[in-house]
Amino acid sequence: MIEDLWYKNAVIYCLSVGTFMDANGDGIGDFSGLERRLDYLVGLGVTALWLMPFQPSPMRDNGYDVSDYYGVDPRYGTLGDFVAFTHAAKQRGLKVLIDLVVNHTSDRHPWFQSARSDPDSPTRDWYVWSKTKPPHADSGVVFPGVQKTTWTYDRAARAYYFHRFYDFQPDLNTANPRVQAEILKIMGFWIQLGVSGFRMDAVPFVIAEKGPEVTGAPVEQFGMLRQFREFLQWRQGDAIILAEANVLPRQDLDYFGEDADRMHMMFNFQVNQGLFHALATATTERLLDCLEKTRARPASAQWAQFLRNHDELDLGRLSAEEREAVFAAFGPDPDMQLYGRGIRRRLPPMLSGDRRRLELAYSLMFTLPGTPVLRYGDEIGMGDDLRLPERECARTPMQWSDEPEGGFTKSARPVAPPIRSGPYGYPHVNAAVQRHDPNSLLNWLERIIRMRKEVPEIGWGDFTVLRTGAESVLGLRYEWRNNAVVCLHNLAAEPIEIRFATGLPGEGGALTDLLTGERNPPDESGRHTLLLEGYGYRWYRAGGLDYLLKRSEV
Ligand code: GLC
Ligand code: CA
């Protein structure tokens, strides 16, 4: 199988076309606008984009309710604009991943419309029906408090249909071979138009057995994942699937495949929750536990590490006590919380806009085992608008400048209200201002991204936890091909002096700070002493040529 492991050392940037940049002035972001911003993204240093759904949709779930898998929603442009965009991205060396939302369709999709109106419809069996209401219909909802049930009666069909998510998102009967064939066709279509893979939505539900008789934990059809991967790679060797699968660590290998024949990448939800627990409590134990539990993976498989995404920060895998600690620190107000399990804010307001803490959080995320995923606006420290419902609060338009509507659109009626006032309003927080300020978050992040790309050890190598003797300090060492880096993060507000050994053969010699060039030599016992400021961080490359030579003799 021809493969290209580009994703091992990538930096992924995720965005919604509709809220990124509006080129034609109708108030809605579009592909032409995105194309004009590609040089900004290349300048930032990201190497791959992940686009949230942009296919035709009634937009009742931010596009995660697709009504035509083979098109571009006219609000965003045409298929022609899409191809112009992928071409322009390719010219600049940017890979494009797109969302693949095939657990369910919109209820407006012609497949569902046909299925519900005629029992003999060719797509009737593409959905999941029941004559009577299944007894467990009210369990297993994904959006508690907003979504009441997973089975809803449809009068035209005279039957209940299954929907894991909202009632306007009927689940596809993914066990049906025709549905499976259609999913492959959809992948093949977009591959042909220039994408390098997919962020596959809700994977555990895609492969779950569905039906009125299914009770308790559904059985997954893992074979399907291999089928998806094989098809993709036979068509295009460097194409990948990045799975959204918030599962327990013992299931990770089921998703990656023991022989690395299933998902190439998975978001590390486990570590994400441990990370926020660490930031909230200034202790590293829980995070280390998450890192250990998700250590095992096939060599070519990769974790995607992230801070916040377009959904709520899901803390469902923490204990009640741990979750309370994160709520207390970052989302004490019930209005900041969502679905009884998460926080719906963006990162900067959670960290009180404190630059030191933001740098710490990003630096930490960039040095966790895997590939970092940024969300648009993170690079300038965008905030949220809690007056907007549910997850919409963290999906406001990109703030480009201090012009009206933050330079996102020339229209006075933007698709979603940009943040206009307050500390996170576009007059203060915008890309144009930050570009001119060498000390801005944007320019800092650009440097961190450059540094991360120069440290392939993190994406490719194995990590070792260093003993720093301080519970607030996370020390990780990565090694790959005779090179090693050491990353240290102090989660606490107070400065701390630590002593540590790198554990490298011959003690690895002096450490060189990748940001400042400063050297930290070992003492006679081979250990290093370091004063870390409150929320301080360091990235060191271990040893010099000497160390390299020693290792390559082995
Ligand atoms: C995923 C998406 C979320 C969406 C859901 C239903 O969890 O991230 O935004 O609502 O799937 O498609
Ligand atoms: Ca537009």
Side-chain angles (χ1 to χ4, degrees):
M1 208 179 271
I2 316 155
E3 286 194 49
D4 175 338
L5 306 191
W6 62 269
Y7 53 93
K8 283 269 183 176
N9 203 39
V11 178
I12 303 176
Y13 184 99
C14 119
L15 66 93
S16 261
V17 178
T19 51
F20 200 61
M21 182 65 209
D22 172 26
N24 66 357
D26 66 354
I28 307 174
D30 42 49
F31 277 105
S32 311
L34 172 56
E35 193 183 326
R36 290 188 201 171
R37 290 294 186 238
L38 283 177
D39 291 311
Y40 164 85
L41 294 169
V42 172
L44 182 58
V46 302
T47 62
L49 305 180
W50 151 32
L51 307 190
M52 335 223 72
F54 53 78
Q55 290 82 1
S57 160
M59 291 296 285
R60 295 181 67 191
D61 181 14
N62 208 36
Y64 284 90
D65 47 336
V66 175
S67 56
D68 174 8
Y69 289 95
Y70 300 101
V72 166
D73 192 294
R75 278 171 284 211
Y76 307 140
T78 63
L79 270 179
D81 295 327
F82 179 80
V83 172
F85 153 73
T86 54
H87 173 74
K90 194 171 181 182
Q91 263 189 336
R92 292 164 174 80
L94 276 178
K95 303 263 186 197
V96 177
L97 304 176
I98 65 171
D99 241 290
L100 180 66
V101 189
V102 291
N103 175 66
H104 46 264
T105 68
S106 158
D107 59 352
R108 299 280 103 210
H109 197 293
W111 299 338
F112 188 68
Q113 286 303 319
S114 162
R116 64 193 283 258
S117 51
D118 175 7
D120 297 323
S121 153
T123 57
R124 180 79 168 191
D125 286 339
W126 288 35
Y127 294 88
V128 187
W129 303 101
S130 177
K131 278 276 157 225
T132 55
K133 185 170 188 172
H136 48 274
D138 297 339
S139 64
V141 299
V142 172
F143 305 121
V146 190
Q147 179 193 356
K148 301 265 167 323
T149 176
T150 54
W151 288 90
T152 293
Y153 188 70
D154 183 79
R155 285 172 62 179
R158 295 182 182 204
Y160 289 83
Y161 64 92
F162 176 64
H163 53 89
R164 173 60 69 186
F165 297 91
Y166 295 111
D167 59 3
F168 53 81
Q169 291 165 317
D171 266 48
L172 280 166
N173 176 13
T174 41
N176 181 332
R178 287 180 201 276
V179 171
Q180 291 177 8
E182 191 74 28
I183 294 174
L184 299 186
K185 201 191 281 182
I186 294 165
M187 292 202 284
F189 177 80
W190 292 104
I191 284 291
Q192 215 64 32
L193 297 187
V195 312
S196 295
F198 303 91
R199 177 262 189 196
M200 196 166 193
D201 189 53
V203 176
F205 300 130
V206 172
I207 62 173
E209 234 173 28
K210 309 179 191 193
E213 66 293 337
V214 175
T215 51
V219 181
E220 299 96 342
Q221 316 290 306
F222 287 108
M224 240 187 255
L225 299 182
R226 185 190 161 113
Q227 200 194 336
F228 295 153
R229 182 188 183 125
E230 266 184 2
F231 173 84
L232 202 56
Q233 291 204 309
W234 288 343
R235 287 281 171 99
Q236 187 176 306
D238 69 347
I240 63 156
I241 304 179
L242 163 55
E244 185 210 20
N246 185 350
V247 294
L248 289 171
R250 60 180 151 76
Q251 284 217 290
D252 293 343
L253 286 183
D254 292 334
Y255 283 82
F256 285 133
E258 304 258 4
D259 302 322
D261 56 355
R262 293 174 185 167
M263 304 286 94
H264 301 77
M265 293 184 82
M266 280 213 274
F267 289 102
N268 198 326
F269 283 97
Q270 204 71 27
V271 165
N272 179 249
Q273 305 188 24
L275 177 53
F276 275 94
H277 183 264
L279 292 171
T281 61
T283 61
T284 56
E285 198 186 336
R286 185 65 167 92
L287 173 58
L288 283 172
D289 180 54
C290 297
L291 287 169
E292 285 302 343
K293 290 207 167 104
T294 57
R295 179 190 283 276
R297 58 183 154 88
S300 67
Q302 182 76 326
W303 286 116
Q305 303 288 5
F306 62 105
L307 282 157
R308 289 287 290 111
N309 61 19
H310 62 296
D311 291 328
E312 79 286 2
L313 162 64
D314 186 341
L315 301 167
R317 301 265 180 233
L318 298 179
S319 71
E321 197 187 328
E322 292 165 340
R323 188 161 46 248
E324 279 316 313
V326 183
F327 278 152
F330 299 141
D333 185 342
D335 187 44
M336 298 167 173
Q337 301 171 10
L338 197 58
Y339 310 136
R341 62 169 179 241
I343 299 177
R344 63 191 192 114
R345 309 172 82 189
R346 270 211 186 231
L347 184 74
M350 285 205 272
L351 300 178
S352 314
D354 184 335
R355 173 70 181 266
R356 294 171 310 156
R357 299 184 79 183
L358 278 172
E359 287 189 16
L360 173 80
Y362 282 119
S363 169
L364 190 51
M365 189 268 278
F366 269 86
T367 54
L368 291 173
T371 294
V373 182
L374 285 167
R375 176 156 163 71
Y376 79 94
D378 281 351
E379 72 272 33
I380 53 171
M382 265 172 61
D384 49 45
D385 182 351
L386 293 176
R387 291 168 307 179
L388 299 174
E390 289 182 72
R391 298 163 293 172
E392 299 306 317
C393 60
R395 299 172 175 176
T396 57
M398 176 67 185
Q399 297 171 192
W400 293 105
S401 70
D402 60 2
E403 290 166 300
E405 313 304 342
F408 157 70
T409 177
K410 294 258 181 276
S411 161
R413 286 202 199 166
V415 59
I419 298 178
R420 299 195 168 90
S421 58
Y424 301 98
Y426 61 72
H428 310 295
V429 175
N430 66 68
V433 163
Q434 294 198 19
R435 289 181 66 139
H436 300 137
D437 173 3
N439 297 316
S440 66
L441 185 65
L442 178 65
N443 280 311
W444 175 83
L445 198 73
E446 190 181 315
R447 291 194 292 277
I448 283 288
I449 292 177
R450 175 182 305 130
M451 196 157 86
R452 175 61 182 76
K453 289 195 290 193
E454 289 171 358
V455 184
E457 289 93 327
I458 298 175
W460 285 89
D462 289 323
F463 70 91
T464 306
V465 179
L466 300 185
R467 272 197 242 172
T468 62
E471 67 161 1
S472 71
V473 177
L474 183 77
L476 295 178
R477 182 188 85 213
Y478 289 91
E479 280 177 281
W480 184 64
R481 293 204 175 155
N482 300 332
N483 282 306
V485 289
V486 168
C487 305
L488 295 149
H489 291 84
N490 177 18
L491 295 146
E494 298 77 35
I496 187 166
E497 188 180 69
I498 53 167
R499 276 191 91 203
F500 63 96
T502 59
L504 291 165
E507 303 307 340
L511 297 173
T512 308
D513 187 320
L514 284 167
L515 266 180
T516 64
E518 257 167 56
R519 313 261 295 166
N520 183 319
D523 60 21
E524 321 75 62
S525 71
R527 295 200 291 172
H528 300 263
T529 304
L530 168 68
L531 175 68
L532 268 175
E533 318 77 51
Y535 305 125
Y537 55 90
R538 295 284 188 288
W539 300 24
Y540 287 122
R541 190 172 287 285
L545 191 58
D546 186 24
Y547 166 62
L548 283 184
L549 291 176
K550 263 186 219 144
R551 289 286 284 176
S552 49
E553 284 162 15
V554 182

